[in-house]
Each structure stands twice: as C-alpha cells, then as structure tokens.
Amino acid sequence: MRLEIFGEIFSSSGYSQHTRFLANALFQFHDDINLNIPLPQGWETMVNDKEMSMINKPPVKDYTAIFIGQPQAWRFVLSNKPTKFGGYIIFEGDSIPLSWIEYMADKRVDWLFVPSNHVKQALINAIEAYKTQYKADYSYILDKVYQIPHGVDDTIYKPNKEVLKDDGRLHFICSKGWRGGWNDRSGIAYLLKAFIEEFHESDFVSLYVHINPAYPCNLVEELQKLGLRQEDVPEVKLEMRYLTYKELNEFYNQGDVYVSTSMAEAFNIPLIEAMACGKPCISTFYGGMSDFVTEQNGWLIGGELIPVTWDLQYEGTQWLKPDIQQLQKVMRNIYEKWKQGDTSELSAKSANALATSKEYTWELSARKLLEIIQK
C-alpha cells in the first residue's frame, strides 16, 4: 500500500523536522512512500537520495494518507478520498482548540496520532469541555487515538568528544525558537533573567542560546525590552542563525547541561536531541517532555499555571510560567559541584540521558506507526 505523507520539510520548524525525519525513518521499512509537500525553487539541492525518491513517486489511486499539520487543513486531503487517513494532533497547552473536535470526529479519519501523554490529556480535556459547552459527546473518538512519540535520529545526534571546550567554563545551552518577550512559549526570557541575575563575572560559567530562525525576532530589540544589552553580559551568547544538522550536533556537544524553560510543549524535539548527545537537561515538567525527562536524567523545575490571553490560537489554555528562583537554585547547585570537582551527578545523569534517548528514536516511531497502519 502506498503511503502519502503530507507536510513540509524545507524549514527548521517543528512540523518540518517531524515530517522529514519520520519520512526518512519510514522509508527504511516501506519504500512505497510519496512525500506530498510544497517544493520551493531549487529544492533538488536540499534533499537526500531517499527524499528525492519519495518526492518523485508517480501518483496512484489507492493510498494511505498521513497528514502532519493542523486538522483544519485535513479536508483538502480527505476530499481526494484516500483509502485510509491518519492525522497528527500536535498542540501545546492543557486543552486543544474545541474547533478541532469536529475535524477529528470525521468518519473518514481512521487514526489520530498524538506525540505524548500531554497532548492526549489535552484532547480528553477538550472533549469534556465540548460536552459541557455544546452538549455533544465526542468521547468515542478516543478509540482511534494512538501515541506515536516524536524522536531523534541517533546517527546524527550523538556524543562527540572531539568538540573542544577550551575556555574552562561550565556551559549551559538551549536551542529553541523565540519570537521575543516574556509571553513567548519558549520561556527564553525566563532563562536569560535567571542566568544573568544568578551568575557574575567571577563565575566560570556561560550560557549559549541558539534561536531557531524559523521563528524570527529582532534579538537586539528583544534584549532591550528585558533591560539588557549583549555587551553587558559577555558570558551570555545569544544568536539566531540556521545550523545544519552537523552544526547543531556540535552545538549540543559544546554544552554540559541543556536547559528548557518552555512554558508548554507537545513533545520537545530539541531536548531529546540534546539527550542523544549525552546532555542532562534542566526542564519544566509541563508538556510532552514530562514523558521522558526525570530526576534520573535531568532536573525538573516547577512554576505557576497561567491562562494564555495574548495568543488567539492558545487562548483558553494554560501554560506553565517557570519558577525563576527554582531554576537559579538548580543551576547554582550544578555549577558549585562542578567547580569543586564533583561531577558524579553530572556524569550519572548524562549517561542516563543518553540511554533514555535510545527509547525515542525516529526509527522506533516509524515502526510503531507502520504496525498500526498495517493492522
């Protein structure tokens, strides 16, 4: 049976990474796949051999469609009458939009795929809210929900001891999109504030934040809004540029501890990529990463659940505002132990982080998806 995967692969967004890595992993076990994606000018130079083969597949009448995108766009694929249809539900918050429910209840939709327990619970919460508000019970759609985690390609993201850190500092790192401001879901502003207020020039510690260019902002202006200038905090390196997979792997390997102050996540791909490089993580517990970040492979920080009132797509949901003091305490404790030469906890959590990442590869996700489809 032909698999038609609908999505996009030519950016560094979460949807793009999901489509690209899942399709490549699926191709190892099922080579009759067509990537049905927008093709920008010069796309031929931006794909590998597998992707070229999947993009150039001739059309067929009978196929199973897998859609990686928001439900309101599913109708464009369903109108072509695929033999079977599965759509991914990817949302950050405690309840998905109620407007999505009827798309998911469509009888032509055979499978609903969620990447984490967090998203599944958000779907359950939405169904309950819909029942209360509209007196209609759609709980039966939970019978077609399957959990397929996002993953990591461990042939790309892996420990690399050849990446040298010669400045004698402990390195905290983060890679995330940031549109700027305190209300951005990434929580980058909270990380910057915590680090800058906790550490001083006398501390041999640095923070390196890579901003995903898929979510552009003016870094100079955003720092000014926070009352900061880059030259005032030389121990903080903040930059926004496109990194190849090789460069991103090197970035992760330059760090000692990855920090995620995200206010909500459907899964958190950058975090699992850092873990695949053997980096333990400081992370908020609210979101898909709570499936795999524990006190054995990282450090969990709490916060306060707050209603989202500034973003139309997420309005009515709750996000977690990170506890800055908790974050500072954890980072300080890690640093002080490292400064005293006690790296036992850091080493143990690093090993556990690497081991955990092996349970969340794209290959395993692809196998699980194919098993569900083939049944």
Side-chain angles (χ1 to χ4, degrees), residues 200-303:
H200 309 285
E201 290 185 13
S202 58
D203 294 316
F204 293 99
V205 62
S206 65
L207 172 65
Y208 183 7
V209 182
H210 167 249
I211 305 298
N212 187 338
Y215 312 93
C217 71
N218 187 310
L219 294 181
V220 174
E221 289 183 3
E222 294 306 327
L223 284 173
Q224 289 175 346
K225 289 178 185 177
L226 302 179
L228 300 171
R229 294 187 307 168
Q230 183 79 64
E231 56 267 31
D232 294 335
V233 282
E235 67 277 11
V236 176
K237 184 178 181 182
L238 186 69
E239 66 173 2
M240 180 171 60
R241 64 186 178 97
Y242 176 76
L243 297 179
T244 65
Y245 297 142
K246 180 181 178 182
E247 289 171 335
L248 192 52
N249 182 64
E250 291 175 353
F251 164 77
Y252 290 132
N253 277 281
Q254 287 172 3
D256 297 293
V257 178
Y258 185 88
V259 186
S260 173
T261 46
S262 179
M263 300 170 77
E265 289 289 340
F267 184 80
N268 204 328
I269 292 175
L271 197 153
I272 198 68
E273 289 173 347
M275 292 175 72
C277 295
K279 307 306 170 185
C281 302
I282 302 172
S283 175
T284 47
F285 65 85
Y286 188 71
M289 59 277 195
S290 59
D291 284 355
F292 55 89
V293 180
T294 68
E295 292 290 351
Q296 283 67 52
N297 56 32
W299 300 264
L300 300 175
I301 60 171

Side-chain angles (χ1 to χ4, degrees), residues 93-109:
D94 62 338
S95 179
I96 67 169
L98 300 191
S99 60
W100 289 10
I101 296 293
E102 292 185 21
Y103 297 114
M104 293 184 287
D106 191 316
K107 292 181 180 179
R108 297 171 295 176
V109 175

Side-chain angles (χ1 to χ4, degrees), residues 42-62:
W43 66 269
E44 297 91 345
T45 65
M46 297 183 277
V47 297
N48 60 35
D49 291 343
K50 293 179 186 177
E51 291 159 358
M52 179 68 77
S53 173
M54 288 186 281
I55 290 171
N56 287 326
K57 286 285 185 182
V60 295
K61 182 179 179 181
D62 297 322

Side-chain angles (χ1 to χ4, degrees), residues 45-272:
T45 65
M46 297 183 277
V47 297
N48 60 35
D49 291 343
K50 293 179 186 177
E51 291 159 358
M52 179 68 77
S53 173
M54 288 186 281
I55 290 171
N56 287 326
K57 286 285 185 182
V60 295
K61 182 179 179 181
D62 297 322
Y63 61 89
T64 293
I66 303 297
F67 197 105
I68 301 174
Q70 296 193 349
Q72 53 267 47
W74 294 357
R75 64 185 184 275
F76 298 112
V77 175
L78 288 168
S79 64
N80 291 324
K81 300 180 180 180
T83 307
K84 293 284 185 179
F85 180 91
Y88 272 85
I89 308 296
I90 301 167
F91 193 73
E92 303 86 3
D94 62 338
S95 179
I96 67 169
L98 300 191
S99 60
W100 289 10
I101 296 293
E102 292 185 21
Y103 297 114
M104 293 184 287
D106 191 316
K107 292 181 180 179
R108 297 171 295 176
V109 175
D110 299 282
W111 309 288
L112 298 170
F113 303 120
V114 297
S116 63
N117 283 309
H118 178 82
V119 178
K120 184 176 182 179
Q121 186 59 52
L123 173 55
I124 293 170
N125 293 344
I127 290 172
E128 289 301 311
Y130 199 99
K131 186 192 304 183
T132 300
Q133 188 166 337
Y134 298 108
K135 311 304 178 186
D137 187 0
Y138 282 103
S139 56
Y140 64 87
I141 67 175
L142 293 172
D143 293 337
K144 51 184 178 182
V145 173
Y146 296 87
Q147 189 167 326
I148 308 289
H150 293 168
V152 59
D153 186 337
D154 58 1
T155 66
I156 297 174
Y157 299 104
K158 53 190 175 183
N160 184 356
K161 295 181 180 179
E162 294 181 3
V163 176
L164 300 177
K165 297 172 292 185
D166 56 3
D167 59 0
R169 290 173 173 265
L170 179 73
H171 295 263
F172 292 104
I173 58 170
C174 178
S175 178
K176 197 65 182 169
W178 185 42
R179 290 191 174 95
W182 291 101
N183 291 330
D184 187 80
R185 185 170 56 82
S186 67
I188 293 296
Y190 295 94
L191 172 57
L192 294 173
K193 181 177 175 63
F195 184 88
I196 291 167
E197 291 185 353
E198 178 62 30
F199 296 105
H200 309 285
E201 290 185 13
S202 58
D203 294 316
F204 293 99
V205 62
S206 65
L207 172 65
Y208 183 7
V209 182
H210 167 249
I211 305 298
N212 187 338
Y215 312 93
C217 71
N218 187 310
L219 294 181
V220 174
E221 289 183 3
E222 294 306 327
L223 284 173
Q224 289 175 346
K225 289 178 185 177
L226 302 179
L228 300 171
R229 294 187 307 168
Q230 183 79 64
E231 56 267 31
D232 294 335
V233 282
E235 67 277 11
V236 176
K237 184 178 181 182
L238 186 69
E239 66 173 2
M240 180 171 60
R241 64 186 178 97
Y242 176 76
L243 297 179
T244 65
Y245 297 142
K246 180 181 178 182
E247 289 171 335
L248 192 52
N249 182 64
E250 291 175 353
F251 164 77
Y252 290 132
N253 277 281
Q254 287 172 3
D256 297 293
V257 178
Y258 185 88
V259 186
S260 173
T261 46
S262 179
M263 300 170 77
E265 289 289 340
F267 184 80
N268 204 328
I269 292 175
L271 197 153
I272 198 68

